[in-house]
Amino acid sequence: MPDPSPVFGREASSRPSRASLRTAVVWDVLKEALDRRVEATGKDSLGVLDTGGGSGNFAVPVARLGHRVTVVDPSPDALFALERRAAEAGVADLVTGVQGDIRGLFDVVGREEYDTVLCHGVLEYVDDPAEGVRNAAAALRPDGSLSLLAAGVGGAVLARALAGHFTEARHALDDPAGRWGAGDPVPRRFTAEQLTELAGEAGLEIGAVHGVRVFADLVPGALVDTEPGAAEALLKLEAAAAELPSFQAIATQLHLLGEKRA
Ligand SMILES: C[S@@+](CC[C@H](N)C(=O)[O-])C[C@H]1O[C@@H](n2cnc3c(N)ncnc32)[C@H](O)[C@@H]1O
């Protein structure tokens, strides 16, 4: 099946889009997990929960695969944008937006009701990440998968250093929350070990860990946009580096797939 998403898809020239360079690794792992679940359950349409799904960067492409996606997000603006985006993509009937947060998740959705749960870019912003992961895991049916994506500490250190902000880089390196200073808009970052520990404490088996955006945020955009074949080569490089712990340590984001064993 062709890639269903305008976000993850390729431009008319077939050059990977900027957005796809940043998300291809996550999308590939997620799509494989969804396909495995379809095969294991015999259901064509899975129940998917996207906690903090925002305006549907992932929810809409997942719905375009035919799955039913519930997005729980505290932001009315994001939910409004989600509704519009789902309608434009022709999947309004498969996407449900619900106002709520991961802390009070079970005020708005049921436990053990979902084949796959996404928690992308949310743990950075919650007061208690362990509770967030526990709730996300508790929403899964037995044998379901949790897709966890969060900002990586090492990527922030490297990015600040390459921008010449050495004191901020050092601050992020030493700070328990991985922040580079008071002006840092991200409240918390993680190491692969921390994410693995959170998933393990929530009772999940660790399926795979990937580094996301190892290089994509560091190379000049003009180089990728103008050099023939550069975007494709960068995409392949990101995919090859994603599984290597040494590159995960410097990735902008970390992705973890956790499995809930029956
Ligand atoms: C960086 S965006 C990520 C959006 C989407 N998951 C994605 O990957 O594109 C963070 C999202 O988390 C939501 N959020 C913030 N605090 C939250 C909480 N306590 N529970 C659930 N979602 C939250 C925000 O409203 C926002 O939509």
Side-chain angles (χ1 to χ4, degrees):
M1 169 183 271
D3 195 315
S5 164
V7 173
F8 301 104
R10 288 164 179 253
E11 289 160 354
S13 62
S14 101
R15 174 189 293 163
S17 69
R18 279 288 178 80
S20 78
L21 282 171
R22 291 194 209 98
T23 53
V25 167
V26 179
W27 181 243
D28 286 351
V29 176
L30 178 60
K31 184 157 181 315
E32 237 181 81
L34 291 165
D35 289 348
R36 273 201 308 273
R37 182 77 180 163
V38 164
E39 207 175 306
T41 59
K43 298 187 290 190
D44 284 341
S45 182
L46 302 174
V48 177
L49 173 67
D50 191 352
T51 57
S55 59
N57 277 340
F58 285 87
V60 170
V62 169
R64 292 187 71 200
L65 294 172
H67 305 304
R68 291 161 283 110
V69 189
T70 301
V71 173
V72 174
D73 199 285
S75 161
D77 287 349
L79 291 173
F80 181 72
L82 168 74
E83 199 179 314
R84 205 177 42 206
R85 196 181 214 171
E88 280 167 10
V91 290
D93 54 331
L94 290 174
V95 177
T96 308
V98 181
Q99 196 172 1
D101 68 67
I102 200 162
R103 176 155 214 204
L105 191 60
F106 301 112
D107 294 342
V108 291
V109 300
R111 289 176 187 271
E112 299 210 345
E113 283 196 356
Y114 296 92
D115 295 291
T116 305
V117 174
L118 278 57
C119 181
H120 291 179
V122 178
L123 292 186
E124 296 91 324
Y125 301 96
V126 300
D127 292 336
D128 185 350
E131 176 191 54
V133 180
R134 271 198 310 275
N135 283 352
L140 282 173
R141 291 194 172 114
D143 289 325
S145 305
L146 173 66
S147 172
L148 205 54
L149 179 68
V153 177
V157 173
L158 191 61
R160 293 323 278 174
L162 291 183
H165 302 299
F166 306 119
T167 307
E168 290 178 353
R170 178 65 202 270
H171 192 287
L173 192 61
D174 294 339
D175 183 33
R179 302 184 74 215
W180 48 254
D184 189 339
V186 179
R188 188 181 290 106
R189 295 186 179 85
F190 299 85
T191 61
E193 292 72 26
Q194 286 169 330
L195 274 194
T196 303
E197 200 176 313
L198 287 175
E201 281 169 6
L204 299 174
E205 197 173 285
I206 311 305
V209 178
H210 287 86
V212 181
R213 292 158 60 184
V214 176
F215 310 102
D217 296 347
L218 301 177
V219 292
L223 194 154
V224 181
D225 291 341
T226 53
E227 194 75 26
E232 290 81 354
L234 177 55
L235 203 58
K236 285 185 188 154
L237 179 64
E238 287 281 351
E243 289 190 47
L244 304 177
S246 47
F247 286 101
Q248 289 166 8
I250 53 159
T252 302
Q253 290 176 304
L254 295 161
H255 182 258
L256 181 150
L257 195 72
E259 314 280 352
K260 183 171 184 168
R261 290 296 164 224

